[in-house]
Amino acid sequence: MASFIAKQMVGDQLKSVKGAMGDKEDEEKPEGEEGEDPEITAARLEAEEKRKEKHRKMEEEREEMRQSIRDKYGLKKKVKEEEEPLADPGRVGRKKKTPAELAAEQNAEEEDEDEFAKFPSNLSELTSKVSEMPSKLAQGVSDVTSKCVLQ
């Protein structure tokens, strides 16, 4: 256990010394596709094209099968609605409203306020109707009882 800890401490110091001297092996090793053989890169691109073509053909076959099923059962194809791409792709949440939408919303709010402004003038009418309701109800009950005969 002690040898492991010592090796870890000395190993870190050795790495820092190697980095200061400039290790030639690290500089010669290119990373990524830059150092790959052009033949390998061409083979990789060709394989990618084959894969894409294979998937395109499979999707066409699937779409033909879907269409035959739609025709057989008389179904309609769903149309995907294209959404507007967000102006800022990193943005989370809903899109901003357009000026036309804001104006329509404001007009709707003004109409609602107008209806509430009319309400107090109708308040006297409402109170009179509410006070008349018990008398109308009593009259309706008496009409019903007079028409009904208990045996």
Side-chain angles (χ1 to χ4, degrees):
M1 181 75 172
S3 63
F4 174 74
I5 294 173
K7 194 173 187 181
Q8 290 294 326
M9 290 172 46
V10 173
D12 289 338
Q13 292 174 355
L14 272 175
K15 287 180 185 176
S16 64
V17 171
K18 282 184 180 178
M21 290 180 7
D23 196 8
K24 302 255 184 204
E25 293 175 11
D26 290 339
E27 292 175 6
E28 291 176 5
K29 290 184 181 178
E31 294 193 18
E33 295 181 3
E34 296 172 359
E36 285 186 349
D37 189 20
E39 293 175 3
I40 295 173
T41 307
R44 180 175 289 141
L45 291 174
E46 184 180 338
E48 181 68 19
E49 289 298 319
K50 285 181 181 179
R51 185 190 68 81
K52 285 182 181 179
E53 182 64 22
K54 174 184 169 188
H55 286 282
R56 187 188 62 77
K57 286 180 182 178
M58 283 177 27
E59 188 58 34
E60 284 178 1
E61 291 172 3
R62 288 178 183 157
E63 186 57 36
E64 288 174 9
M65 185 180 293
R66 289 183 197 117
Q67 190 59 44
S68 67
I69 292 171
R70 284 188 210 109
D71 293 340
K72 180 178 178 181
Y73 294 106
L75 302 174
K76 294 180 182 176
K77 183 177 180 178
K78 291 183 181 178
V79 178
K80 291 183 180 179
E81 295 180 13
E82 295 291 327
E83 293 184 18
E84 293 181 16
L86 295 174
D88 183 12
R91 181 177 175 177
V92 177
R94 61 182 179 85
K95 64 176 185 160
K96 290 185 178 180
K97 293 182 179 176
T98 62
E101 290 174 334
L102 290 173
E105 207 172 273
Q106 194 172 24
N107 288 339
E109 288 176 5
E110 289 175 1
E111 289 175 5
D112 288 344
E113 289 175 6
D114 291 342
E115 289 178 15
F116 285 120
K118 294 177 185 177
F119 185 72
S121 66
N122 295 339
L123 187 60
S124 60
E125 293 175 20
L126 289 175
T127 54
S128 64
K129 286 183 180 181
V130 168
S131 61
E132 293 174 4
M133 288 301 282
S135 62
K136 287 183 178 180
L137 184 61
Q139 183 182 5
V141 169
S142 64
D143 290 345
V144 170
T145 54
S146 65
K147 292 180 180 177
C148 292
V149 178
L150 293 175
Q151 295 179 359

